[in-house]
Amino acid sequence: RHSVNLLPRAGAADINLTELDAFLFWRMMPGRAWMTLNPTHRLDWANRRFSGGTLRLTAGARLGEINGVSISGYVRPGVGLGRDRPYDWNLEAGLTFSGF
């Protein structure tokens, strides 16, 4: 993925960022639970920072269905890697609704 600021406003940060993503996906119980491993390497061309990235692990499960809408939950801890890492660590959790 590549992001670039085509029409920067005065005083706004210049954006020219490439992110190289890989996803490894495992089905734990087919149709019910899964895990993903997502390493990302960031190339910040605007600020000349090329040694940063992230590593995130997602664990999710289908929680059920209400009126044809599938409900899943997930937890996603992550760590920043390298000298130019975007963050030290993070933790994300949430619900997803699909099929409506």
Side-chain angles (χ1 to χ4, degrees):
R1 173 173 70 174
H2 188 79
S3 303
V4 64
N5 189 356
L6 295 176
L7 301 171
R9 294 184 313 238
D14 190 21
I15 299 171
N16 190 355
L17 177 69
T18 303
E19 292 183 327
L20 305 173
D21 255 346
F23 285 93
L24 303 170
F25 182 82
W26 296 276
R27 289 186 193 188
M28 308 282 282
M29 298 180 301
R32 305 273 315 153
W34 65 91
M35 289 183 72
T36 64
L37 182 64
N38 176 219
T40 302
H41 184 70
R42 296 168 53 99
L43 303 167
D44 185 348
W45 304 99
N47 297 303
R48 305 185 65 70
R49 295 182 177 165
F50 306 113
S51 66
T54 62
L55 182 61
R56 294 175 293 187
L57 176 69
T58 304
R62 185 168 185 262
L63 302 175
E65 187 174 305
I66 298 175
N67 295 329
V69 176
S70 179
I71 303 168
S72 298
Y74 69 91
V75 62
R76 180 180 299 141
V79 296
L81 303 171
R83 184 180 65 242
D84 300 319
R85 63 186 170 269
Y87 50 77
D88 290 328
W89 64 273
N90 75 329
L91 179 62
E92 178 183 341
L95 296 173
T96 59
F97 303 90
S98 60
F100 55 93

PDB file of all heavy atoms in Angstrom, residues 69-95:
ATOM      1  N   VAL A  69     -27.466 -11.714  10.704  1.00  0.00           N
ATOM      2  CA  VAL A  69     -26.232 -10.932  10.810  1.00  0.00           C
ATOM      3  C   VAL A  69     -25.229 -11.724  11.636  1.00  0.00           C
ATOM      4  O   VAL A  69     -25.492 -12.058  12.787  1.00  0.00           O
ATOM      5  CB  VAL A  69     -26.491  -9.550  11.453  1.00  0.00           C
ATOM      6  CG1 VAL A  69     -25.186  -8.799  11.633  1.00  0.00           C
ATOM      7  CG2 VAL A  69     -27.474  -8.740  10.620  1.00  0.00           C
ATOM      8  N   SER A  70     -24.088 -12.026  11.038  1.00  0.00           N
ATOM      9  CA  SER A  70     -23.031 -12.779  11.716  1.00  0.00           C
ATOM     10  C   SER A  70     -22.220 -11.823  12.604  1.00  0.00           C
ATOM     11  O   SER A  70     -21.825 -10.745  12.169  1.00  0.00           O
ATOM     12  CB  SER A  70     -22.123 -13.431  10.688  1.00  0.00           C
ATOM     13  OG  SER A  70     -21.089 -14.143  11.325  1.00  0.00           O
ATOM     14  N   ILE A  71     -21.959 -12.238  13.838  1.00  0.00           N
ATOM     15  CA  ILE A  71     -21.216 -11.418  14.797  1.00  0.00           C
ATOM     16  C   ILE A  71     -19.939 -12.162  15.172  1.00  0.00           C
ATOM     17  O   ILE A  71     -19.976 -13.327  15.565  1.00  0.00           O
ATOM     18  CB  ILE A  71     -22.042 -11.132  16.053  1.00  0.00           C
ATOM     19  CG1 ILE A  71     -23.354 -10.452  15.669  1.00  0.00           C
ATOM     20  CG2 ILE A  71     -21.249 -10.275  17.034  1.00  0.00           C
ATOM     21  CD1 ILE A  71     -24.356 -10.378  16.800  1.00  0.00           C
ATOM     22  N   SER A  72     -18.802 -11.475  15.023  1.00  0.00           N
ATOM     23  CA  SER A  72     -17.502 -12.033  15.394  1.00  0.00           C
ATOM     24  C   SER A  72     -16.799 -11.065  16.332  1.00  0.00           C
ATOM     25  O   SER A  72     -17.017  -9.862  16.275  1.00  0.00           O
ATOM     26  CB  SER A  72     -16.630 -12.255  14.158  1.00  0.00           C
ATOM     27  OG  SER A  72     -17.229 -13.177  13.286  1.00  0.00           O
ATOM     28  N   GLY A  73     -15.928 -11.600  17.164  1.00  0.00           N
ATOM     29  CA  GLY A  73     -15.113 -10.780  18.048  1.00  0.00           C
ATOM     30  C   GLY A  73     -13.643 -11.083  17.818  1.00  0.00           C
ATOM     31  O   GLY A  73     -13.294 -12.171  17.355  1.00  0.00           O
ATOM     32  N   TYR A  74     -12.802 -10.112  18.114  1.00  0.00           N
ATOM     33  CA  TYR A  74     -11.367 -10.331  17.930  1.00  0.00           C
ATOM     34  C   TYR A  74     -10.569  -9.523  18.945  1.00  0.00           C
ATOM     35  O   TYR A  74     -11.044  -8.544  19.510  1.00  0.00           O
ATOM     36  CB  TYR A  74     -10.930  -9.953  16.507  1.00  0.00           C
ATOM     37  CG  TYR A  74     -10.996  -8.473  16.219  1.00  0.00           C
ATOM     38  CD1 TYR A  74      -9.890  -7.655  16.435  1.00  0.00           C
ATOM     39  CD2 TYR A  74     -12.158  -7.891  15.747  1.00  0.00           C
ATOM     40  CE1 TYR A  74      -9.955  -6.294  16.192  1.00  0.00           C
ATOM     41  CE2 TYR A  74     -12.224  -6.537  15.494  1.00  0.00           C
ATOM     42  CZ  TYR A  74     -11.129  -5.743  15.716  1.00  0.00           C
ATOM     43  OH  TYR A  74     -11.193  -4.399  15.476  1.00  0.00           O
ATOM     44  N   VAL A  75      -9.338  -9.963  19.153  1.00  0.00           N
ATOM     45  CA  VAL A  75      -8.355  -9.230  19.946  1.00  0.00           C
ATOM     46  C   VAL A  75      -7.070  -9.218  19.121  1.00  0.00           C
ATOM     47  O   VAL A  75      -6.730 -10.218  18.490  1.00  0.00           O
ATOM     48  CB  VAL A  75      -8.154  -9.828  21.359  1.00  0.00           C
ATOM     49  CG1 VAL A  75      -7.637 -11.244  21.294  1.00  0.00           C
ATOM     50  CG2 VAL A  75      -7.266  -8.951  22.202  1.00  0.00           C
ATOM     51  N   ARG A  76      -6.391  -8.049  19.084  1.00  0.00           N
ATOM     52  CA  ARG A  76      -5.216  -7.889  18.221  1.00  0.00           C
ATOM     53  C   ARG A  76      -4.110  -7.136  18.966  1.00  0.00           C
ATOM     54  O   ARG A  76      -4.025  -5.920  18.904  1.00  0.00           O
ATOM     55  CB  ARG A  76      -5.605  -7.137  16.965  1.00  0.00           C
ATOM     56  CG  ARG A  76      -4.447  -6.915  16.001  1.00  0.00           C
ATOM     57  CD  ARG A  76      -4.883  -6.158  14.757  1.00  0.00           C
ATOM     58  NE  ARG A  76      -5.890  -6.912  14.040  1.00  0.00           N
ATOM     59  CZ  ARG A  76      -6.948  -6.357  13.439  1.00  0.00           C
ATOM     60  NH1 ARG A  76      -7.138  -5.071  13.463  1.00  0.00           N
ATOM     61  NH2 ARG A  76      -7.809  -7.121  12.799  1.00  0.00           N
ATOM     62  N   PRO A  77      -3.221  -7.852  19.649  1.00  0.00           N
ATOM     63  CA  PRO A  77      -2.051  -7.182  20.223  1.00  0.00           C
ATOM     64  C   PRO A  77      -0.988  -6.978  19.142  1.00  0.00           C
ATOM     65  O   PRO A  77      -0.947  -7.713  18.148  1.00  0.00           O
ATOM     66  CB  PRO A  77      -1.569  -8.169  21.288  1.00  0.00           C
ATOM     67  CG  PRO A  77      -2.028  -9.504  20.785  1.00  0.00           C
ATOM     68  CD  PRO A  77      -3.299  -9.261  20.027  1.00  0.00           C
ATOM     69  N   GLY A  78      -0.163  -5.958  19.324  1.00  0.00           N
ATOM     70  CA  GLY A  78       0.901  -5.698  18.354  1.00  0.00           C
ATOM     71  C   GLY A  78       2.087  -5.004  18.987  1.00  0.00           C
ATOM     72  O   GLY A  78       1.981  -4.411  20.062  1.00  0.00           O
ATOM     73  N   VAL A  79       3.205  -5.089  18.317  1.00  0.00           N
ATOM     74  CA  VAL A  79       4.425  -4.406  18.754  1.00  0.00           C
ATOM     75  C   VAL A  79       5.033  -3.685  17.562  1.00  0.00           C
ATOM     76  O   VAL A  79       4.915  -4.120  16.429  1.00  0.00           O
ATOM     77  CB  VAL A  79       5.474  -5.380  19.366  1.00  0.00           C
ATOM     78  CG1 VAL A  79       4.954  -6.014  20.633  1.00  0.00           C
ATOM     79  CG2 VAL A  79       5.903  -6.434  18.363  1.00  0.00           C
ATOM     80  N   GLY A  80       5.682  -2.555  17.848  1.00  0.00           N
ATOM     81  CA  GLY A  80       6.439  -1.847  16.834  1.00  0.00           C
ATOM     82  C   GLY A  80       7.845  -2.422  16.768  1.00  0.00           C
ATOM     83  O   GLY A  80       8.413  -2.836  17.786  1.00  0.00           O
ATOM     84  N   LEU A  81       8.417  -2.457  15.572  1.00  0.00           N
ATOM     85  CA  LEU A  81       9.741  -3.036  15.371  1.00  0.00           C
ATOM     86  C   LEU A  81      10.664  -2.015  14.708  1.00  0.00           C
ATOM     87  O   LEU A  81      10.227  -1.193  13.910  1.00  0.00           O
ATOM     88  CB  LEU A  81       9.646  -4.268  14.467  1.00  0.00           C
ATOM     89  CG  LEU A  81       8.715  -5.381  14.924  1.00  0.00           C
ATOM     90  CD1 LEU A  81       8.560  -6.430  13.831  1.00  0.00           C
ATOM     91  CD2 LEU A  81       9.221  -6.004  16.201  1.00  0.00           C
ATOM     92  N   GLY A  82      11.926  -2.070  15.047  1.00  0.00           N
ATOM     93  CA  GLY A  82      12.919  -1.223  14.391  1.00  0.00           C
ATOM     94  C   GLY A  82      13.079   0.147  15.024  1.00  0.00           C
ATOM     95  O   GLY A  82      12.304   0.563  15.872  1.00  0.00           O
ATOM     96  N   ARG A  83      14.082   0.842  14.575  1.00  0.00           N
ATOM     97  CA  ARG A  83      14.393   2.173  15.099  1.00  0.00           C
ATOM     98  C   ARG A  83      13.284   3.182  14.791  1.00  0.00           C
ATOM     99  O   ARG A  83      12.984   4.043  15.599  1.00  0.00           O
ATOM    100  CB  ARG A  83      15.722   2.642  14.498  1.00  0.00           C
ATOM    101  CG  ARG A  83      16.198   3.983  15.036  1.00  0.00           C
ATOM    102  CD  ARG A  83      17.531   4.414  14.424  1.00  0.00           C
ATOM    103  NE  ARG A  83      17.380   4.661  12.991  1.00  0.00           N
ATOM    104  CZ  ARG A  83      18.014   4.001  12.025  1.00  0.00           C
ATOM    105  NH1 ARG A  83      18.866   3.044  12.330  1.00  0.00           N
ATOM    106  NH2 ARG A  83      17.821   4.283  10.762  1.00  0.00           N
ATOM    107  N   ASP A  84      12.667   3.064  13.634  1.00  0.00           N
ATOM    108  CA  ASP A  84      11.640   4.011  13.213  1.00  0.00           C
ATOM    109  C   ASP A  84      10.231   3.441  13.372  1.00  0.00           C
ATOM    110  O   ASP A  84       9.333   3.746  12.583  1.00  0.00           O
ATOM    111  CB  ASP A  84      11.873   4.405  11.748  1.00  0.00           C
ATOM    112  CG  ASP A  84      13.229   5.045  11.542  1.00  0.00           C
ATOM    113  OD1 ASP A  84      13.632   5.846  12.402  1.00  0.00           O
ATOM    114  OD2 ASP A  84      13.885   4.737  10.528  1.00  0.00           O
ATOM    115  N   ARG A  85      10.022   2.627  14.398  1.00  0.00           N
ATOM    116  CA  ARG A  85       8.717   2.001  14.609  1.00  0.00           C
ATOM    117  C   ARG A  85       7.636   3.066  14.840  1.00  0.00           C
ATOM    118  O   ARG A  85       7.886   4.097  15.453  1.00  0.00           O
ATOM    119  CB  ARG A  85       8.768   1.023  15.773  1.00  0.00           C
ATOM    120  CG  ARG A  85       9.096   1.648  17.105  1.00  0.00           C
ATOM    121  CD  ARG A  85       9.277   0.557  18.168  1.00  0.00           C
ATOM    122  NE  ARG A  85       9.823   1.097  19.378  1.00  0.00           N
ATOM    123  CZ  ARG A  85      11.116   1.173  19.652  1.00  0.00           C
ATOM    124  NH1 ARG A  85      11.995   0.720  18.783  1.00  0.00           N
ATOM    125  NH2 ARG A  85      11.533   1.682  20.784  1.00  0.00           N
ATOM    126  N   PRO A  86       6.417   2.804  14.362  1.00  0.00           N
ATOM    127  CA  PRO A  86       5.343   3.781  14.516  1.00  0.00           C
ATOM    128  C   PRO A  86       4.787   3.847  15.936  1.00  0.00           C
ATOM    129  O   PRO A  86       4.160   4.832  16.317  1.00  0.00           O
ATOM    130  CB  PRO A  86       4.281   3.307  13.533  1.00  0.00           C
ATOM    131  CG  PRO A  86       4.548   1.846  13.359  1.00  0.00           C
ATOM    132  CD  PRO A  86       6.029   1.679  13.525  1.00  0.00           C
ATOM    133  N   TYR A  87       4.984   2.791  16.723  1.00  0.00           N
ATOM    134  CA  TYR A  87       4.554   2.763  18.128  1.00  0.00           C
ATOM    135  C   TYR A  87       5.339   1.667  18.841  1.00  0.00           C
ATOM    136  O   TYR A  87       5.951   0.819  18.203  1.00  0.00           O
ATOM    137  CB  TYR A  87       3.044   2.529  18.260  1.00  0.00           C
ATOM    138  CG  TYR A  87       2.507   1.354  17.467  1.00  0.00           C
ATOM    139  CD1 TYR A  87       2.688   0.047  17.893  1.00  0.00           C
ATOM    140  CD2 TYR A  87       1.795   1.555  16.288  1.00  0.00           C
ATOM    141  CE1 TYR A  87       2.198  -1.019  17.174  1.00  0.00           C
ATOM    142  CE2 TYR A  87       1.291   0.499  15.555  1.00  0.00           C
ATOM    143  CZ  TYR A  87       1.491  -0.789  16.010  1.00  0.00           C
ATOM    144  OH  TYR A  87       1.000  -1.848  15.295  1.00  0.00           O
ATOM    145  N   ASP A  88       5.312   1.695  20.181  1.00  0.00           N
ATOM    146  CA  ASP A  88       5.986   0.651  20.960  1.00  0.00           C
ATOM    147  C   ASP A  88       5.138  -0.614  21.034  1.00  0.00           C
ATOM    148  O   ASP A  88       5.631  -1.712  20.826  1.00  0.00           O
ATOM    149  CB  ASP A  88       6.308   1.143  22.365  1.00  0.00           C
ATOM    150  CG  ASP A  88       7.398   2.200  22.359  1.00  0.00           C
ATOM    151  OD1 ASP A  88       8.286   2.131  21.488  1.00  0.00           O
ATOM    152  OD2 ASP A  88       7.363   3.099  23.208  1.00  0.00           O
ATOM    153  N   TRP A  89       3.860  -0.445  21.379  1.00  0.00           N
ATOM    154  CA  TRP A  89       2.945  -1.577  21.452  1.00  0.00           C
ATOM    155  C   TRP A  89       1.523  -1.063  21.309  1.00  0.00           C
ATOM    156  O   TRP A  89       1.273   0.136  21.449  1.00  0.00           O
ATOM    157  CB  TRP A  89       3.111  -2.356  22.765  1.00  0.00           C
ATOM    158  CG  TRP A  89       2.764  -1.549  23.977  1.00  0.00           C
ATOM    159  CD1 TRP A  89       3.601  -0.712  24.676  1.00  0.00           C
ATOM    160  CD2 TRP A  89       1.498  -1.466  24.624  1.00  0.00           C
ATOM    161  NE1 TRP A  89       2.931  -0.120  25.710  1.00  0.00           N
ATOM    162  CE2 TRP A  89       1.630  -0.569  25.705  1.00  0.00           C
ATOM    163  CE3 TRP A  89       0.259  -2.060  24.406  1.00  0.00           C
ATOM    164  CZ2 TRP A  89       0.570  -0.260  26.554  1.00  0.00           C
ATOM    165  CZ3 TRP A  89      -0.789  -1.744  25.258  1.00  0.00           C
ATOM    166  CH2 TRP A  89      -0.619  -0.861  26.317  1.00  0.00           C
ATOM    167  N   ASN A  90       0.598  -1.965  21.020  1.00  0.00           N
ATOM    168  CA  ASN A  90      -0.810  -1.597  20.989  1.00  0.00           C
ATOM    169  C   ASN A  90      -1.670  -2.811  21.287  1.00  0.00           C
ATOM    170  O   ASN A  90      -1.199  -3.948  21.246  1.00  0.00           O
ATOM    171  CB  ASN A  90      -1.197  -0.961  19.643  1.00  0.00           C
ATOM    172  CG  ASN A  90      -1.304  -1.977  18.532  1.00  0.00           C
ATOM    173  OD1 ASN A  90      -0.609  -2.978  18.526  1.00  0.00           O
ATOM    174  ND2 ASN A  90      -2.168  -1.712  17.586  1.00  0.00           N
ATOM    175  N   LEU A  91      -2.913  -2.548  21.608  1.00  0.00           N
ATOM    176  CA  LEU A  91      -3.882  -3.613  21.842  1.00  0.00           C
ATOM    177  C   LEU A  91      -5.224  -3.122  21.309  1.00  0.00           C
ATOM    178  O   LEU A  91      -5.700  -2.057  21.700  1.00  0.00           O
ATOM    179  CB  LEU A  91      -3.998  -3.947  23.332  1.00  0.00           C
ATOM    180  CG  LEU A  91      -4.998  -5.039  23.686  1.00  0.00           C
ATOM    181  CD1 LEU A  91      -4.610  -6.362  23.047  1.00  0.00           C
ATOM    182  CD2 LEU A  91      -5.098  -5.192  25.193  1.00  0.00           C
ATOM    183  N   GLU A  92      -5.784  -3.902  20.414  1.00  0.00           N
ATOM    184  CA  GLU A  92      -7.056  -3.562  19.795  1.00  0.00           C
ATOM    185  C   GLU A  92      -8.005  -4.723  20.018  1.00  0.00           C
ATOM    186  O   GLU A  92      -7.610  -5.883  19.949  1.00  0.00           O
ATOM    187  CB  GLU A  92      -6.838  -3.332  18.300  1.00  0.00           C
ATOM    188  CG  GLU A  92      -8.069  -3.020  17.518  1.00  0.00           C
ATOM    189  CD  GLU A  92      -7.760  -2.869  16.032  1.00  0.00           C
ATOM    190  OE1 GLU A  92      -6.600  -2.649  15.663  1.00  0.00           O
ATOM    191  OE2 GLU A  92      -8.715  -2.990  15.244  1.00  0.00           O
ATOM    192  N   ALA A  93      -9.263  -4.429  20.291  1.00  0.00           N
ATOM    193  CA  ALA A  93     -10.289  -5.458  20.422  1.00  0.00           C
ATOM    194  C   ALA A  93     -11.561  -4.914  19.796  1.00  0.00           C
ATOM    195  O   ALA A  93     -11.781  -3.700  19.788  1.00  0.00           O
ATOM    196  CB  ALA A  93     -10.517  -5.817  21.888  1.00  0.00           C
ATOM    197  N   GLY A  94     -12.371  -5.793  19.274  1.00  0.00           N
ATOM    198  CA  GLY A  94     -13.590  -5.298  18.665  1.00  0.00           C
ATOM    199  C   GLY A  94     -14.542  -6.378  18.235  1.00  0.00           C
ATOM    200  O   GLY A  94     -14.294  -7.566  18.387  1.00  0.00           O
ATOM    201  N   LEU A  95     -15.646  -5.903  17.699  1.00  0.00           N
ATOM    202  CA  LEU A  95     -16.692  -6.754  17.145  1.00  0.00           C
ATOM    203  C   LEU A  95     -16.849  -6.413  15.680  1.00  0.00           C
ATOM    204  O   LEU A  95     -16.697  -5.250  15.279  1.00  0.00           O
ATOM    205  CB  LEU A  95     -18.026  -6.511  17.862  1.00  0.00           C
ATOM    206  CG  LEU A  95     -18.096  -6.865  19.333  1.00  0.00           C
ATOM    207  CD1 LEU A  95     -19.403  -6.400  19.921  1.00  0.00           C
ATOM    208  CD2 LEU A  95     -17.924  -8.358  19.531  1.00  0.00           C
TER     209      LEU A  95
END
